C-alpha cells in the first residue's frame, strides 16, 4: 500500500511486501476453494441481472473479503458478490478493494 504525499502510515498498516504476500495467499486460498467446488460439481443459480452465480463465487468472495477486512480494516471491500452499496457511499471512498471473486463464471460452468 503506497502512501500518498503527506499521508502517514498508521500503526496497524502492514509493510507493503507483507501485505502483498498475504493478499497473494488469500487469492491462493480462494483458488483452492473454487477448485474444490469445481471437482464436487457445480450448482448454478441466477443473480437479479440473470448472470450465473455458483457456490464457488460465494466461497471465493467470502475468503477474499473477510481476509482483506482483517488485513486492512480501514479499506472497504467492493465485490461483485457484495450487497449493493449505494453510489453516495462509494463515491466518498478514497481507496478500496475492488474484487471479482471468480472472473469468468460462465466459462467456469
Amino acid at each position: 500500500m503506497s502512501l500518498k504525499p503527506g499521508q502517514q502510515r498508521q500503526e496497524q498498516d502492514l509493510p507493503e511486501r507483507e501485505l502483498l504476500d498475504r493478499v497473494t495467499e488469500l487469492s491462493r486460498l480462494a483458488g483452492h476453494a473454487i477448485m474444490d467446488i469445481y471437482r464436487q460439481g457445480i450448482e448454478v443459480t441466477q443473480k437479479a441481472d440473470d448472470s450465473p452465480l455458483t457456490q464457488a463465487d460465494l466461497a471465493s468472495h467470502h475468503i477474499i473479503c473477510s481476509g482483506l477486512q482483517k488485513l486492512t480494516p480501514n479499506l472497504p471491500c467492493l465485490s461483485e458478490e457484495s450487497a449493493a452499496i449505494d453510489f453516495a457511499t462509494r463515491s466518498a471512498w478514497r481507496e478500496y478493494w475492488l474484487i471479482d471473486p471468480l472472473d469468468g463464471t460462465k466459462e467456469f460452468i
Side-chain angles (χ1 to χ4, degrees), residues 23 25-37 53-68 77 79-82 99-103 105 108:
V23 170
E25 182 58 24
L26 286 174
S27 68
R28 285 190 182 114
L29 291 171
H32 289 300
I34 288 169
M35 292 310 297
D36 287 346
I37 291 167
L53 177 67
T54 68
Q55 286 301 314
D57 292 287
L58 296 173
S60 177
H61 159 82
H62 177 72
I63 290 166
I64 294 170
C65 288
S66 64
L68 290 174
C77 183
S79 170
E80 185 177 359
E81 311 312 336
S82 296
I99 308 300
D100 186 351
L102 175 57
D103 189 30
T105 299
F108 175 74

Side-chain angles (χ1 to χ4, degrees), residues 5-81:
Q7 185 180 13
Q8 295 181 335
R9 180 172 295 281
Q10 297 180 13
E11 265 186 56
Q12 73 270 19
D13 288 345
L14 295 173
E16 199 167 313
R17 182 74 228 170
E18 185 177 348
L19 178 62
L20 180 59
D21 289 345
R22 290 187 184 190
V23 170
T24 300
E25 182 58 24
L26 286 174
S27 68
R28 285 190 182 114
L29 291 171
H32 289 300
I34 288 169
M35 292 310 297
D36 287 346
I37 291 167
Y38 184 77
R39 285 189 279 279
Q40 294 171 15
I42 304 165
E43 293 183 32
V44 181
T45 59
Q46 301 300 122
K47 294 191 248 182
D49 66 359
D50 207 34
S51 62
L53 177 67
T54 68
Q55 286 301 314
D57 292 287
L58 296 173
S60 177
H61 159 82
H62 177 72
I63 290 166
I64 294 170
C65 288
S66 64
L68 290 174
Q69 286 174 351
K70 289 176 186 172
L71 289 175
T72 56
N74 296 326
L75 286 181
C77 183
L78 178 60
S79 170
E80 185 177 359
E81 311 312 336

Side-chain angles (χ1 to χ4, degrees), residues 87-95:
F87 180 73
T89 300
R90 288 180 286 136
S91 64
W93 296 346
R94 296 194 72 217
E95 294 180 316

